[in-house]
Amino acid sequence: METRIALVGIIVEDTSAAAEANEILHQFGRFIVGRMGVPYRDKGICIISVIIDAPQQEISAMSGRLGKLPGISVKTLYSKAGQAHGQ
């Protein structure tokens, strides 16, 4: 199955949602290449970046589930690696 590489940026503004977000990330753990979380204590938020190599459907499912959590913002950036030039 063809996979894509993506960077998923997550901002956790409501830290009570962090446990559920971590559970979702754990469920997609087989696709995660790397993960970095940074607490920004002065602002009371956490910033998480996740590198994922997965089928498009799995990336969308993970991002969608995270984005539905209250107090969480998610954006996904896809690599052009592996795509034909000009697409």
Side-chain angles (χ1 to χ4, degrees):
M1 179 171 272
E2 186 176 327
T3 64
R4 295 193 67 190
I5 299 169
L7 173 64
V8 181
I10 306 162
I11 297 179
V12 181
E13 295 173 338
D14 180 358
T15 54
S16 67
E20 196 170 352
N22 279 321
E23 176 58 30
I24 292 169
L25 291 172
H26 176 74
Q27 292 170 7
F28 288 88
R30 67 189 179 279
F31 300 115
I32 294 175
V33 176
R35 172 181 167 178
M36 178 180 65
V38 179
Y40 191 175
R41 290 181 185 91
D42 291 348
K43 301 290 183 179
I45 64 172
C46 296
I47 302 153
I48 304 168
S49 59
V50 178
I51 302 164
I52 187 167
D53 185 359
Q56 175 69 49
Q57 183 176 358
E58 297 290 338
I59 298 170
S60 295
M62 185 186 82
S63 296
R65 287 180 59 195
L66 288 166
K68 289 180 183 178
L69 296 176
I72 300 217
S73 300
V74 179
K75 293 292 179 189
T76 305
L77 175 69
Y78 292 93
S79 168
K80 292 181 183 177
Q83 292 183 345
H85 293 290
Q87 288 186 343

